[in-house]
Amino acid sequence: MAGSGRASVPPKDDDRAPSHKVRAAWISDVHLGTPGCQADALLDFLKHVECDTLYLVGDIIDGWQLRRNWYWPQAHNDVVQKLLRKARKGTRVIFIPGNHDEFARKFLAHSFGGVEVAEEWIHTTADGRQLWVTHGDLYDGVIQCARWLALLGDSLYEFTLKLNRHLNSWRARMGLPYWSLSKYVKLKVKRAVSYVGDFEQALAREARKRGVDGLVCGHIHHAEMRDIGGILYCNDGDWVESLTALVEHPDGSLEILDWAAIMVHRQHQHQALTQAA
């Protein structure tokens, strides 16, 4: 899955041949504008993955956090510039806003720098399946019925991520791998697990009503691909905790890429080649 490492002197990042050529890719929940955003890892993904169509499935920019506290380092600007460059070079980039970047819903059917803004999309795979693409927040009962609770949960989540950064800084010094505290908490809390299940079922029901074969969403930061009553449910994960994306290969098959694992594998490959030289 990682690059072949055949070039003895690697070229500049922007000119490097991509190690993943796919038909389509879906990413969401980047949360640019927050300290929790893993912008460097996303830049690595964007440099190594070439696709005909790139879907930005919501919460790319975190307007909620930016209104509370402005945070925009250079790496976040680099991500935006990289996306615009992909659009200029021929990749079709479709942006479907989520709840954190809902401000962009004012610009549906517009294009900015080649990036198309849409409320939702129907993607047809190479093998003829139709996938409904939506961020998913419109089918989240908490977001729709108790916005104050969603905002409170967002603040608590940001606090957990801050604590997680300190914890992983210590783990890195101890030579231990990255570990997500917030992901662990969500999986252990029974109510959170129930919420995830309800969210998935609600989207599957809506997809069934629409007569499509499956759906692609984000929103809950939990990458998964499974069958729900005959509907293919795909969640592309996030770029805060899991560092995952969904891709469609040229034959129409779908795969969730764990980019954190890919980067570790590539690093090990590079170390092995260096030692062998």
Side-chain angles (χ1 to χ4, degrees), residues 48 122 164 225 267:
H48 284 85
I122 298 294
N164 197 55
M225 186 164 57
Q267 184 180 24

Side-chain angles (χ1 to χ4, degrees), residues 140-199:
D140 178 343
V142 173
I143 295 290
Q144 296 305 310
C145 302
R147 184 179 174 85
W148 67 269
L149 185 57
L151 292 168
L152 175 61
D154 183 61
S155 296
L156 292 173
Y157 179 64
E158 188 64 25
F159 172 75
T160 305
L161 290 176
K162 185 175 182 180
L163 183 61
N164 197 55
R165 287 193 292 275
H166 291 297
L167 175 62
N168 277 289
S169 176
W170 173 80
R171 287 176 65 86
R173 290 196 297 272
M174 298 297 291
L176 298 171
Y178 178 84
W179 180 74
S180 174
L181 172 63
S182 52
K183 187 175 181 180
Y184 173 81
V185 170
K186 282 191 290 186
L187 290 174
K188 289 298 181 182
V189 177
K190 185 177 181 181
R191 190 163 304 207
V193 173
S194 175
Y195 159 77
V196 169
D198 291 346
F199 172 80

Side-chain angles (χ1 to χ4, degrees), residues 244-262:
T244 53
L246 178 72
V247 297
E248 179 198 350
H249 295 290
D251 63 356
S253 62
L254 299 169
E255 179 186 6
I256 292 174
L257 296 183
D258 180 343
W259 204 254
I262 288 171

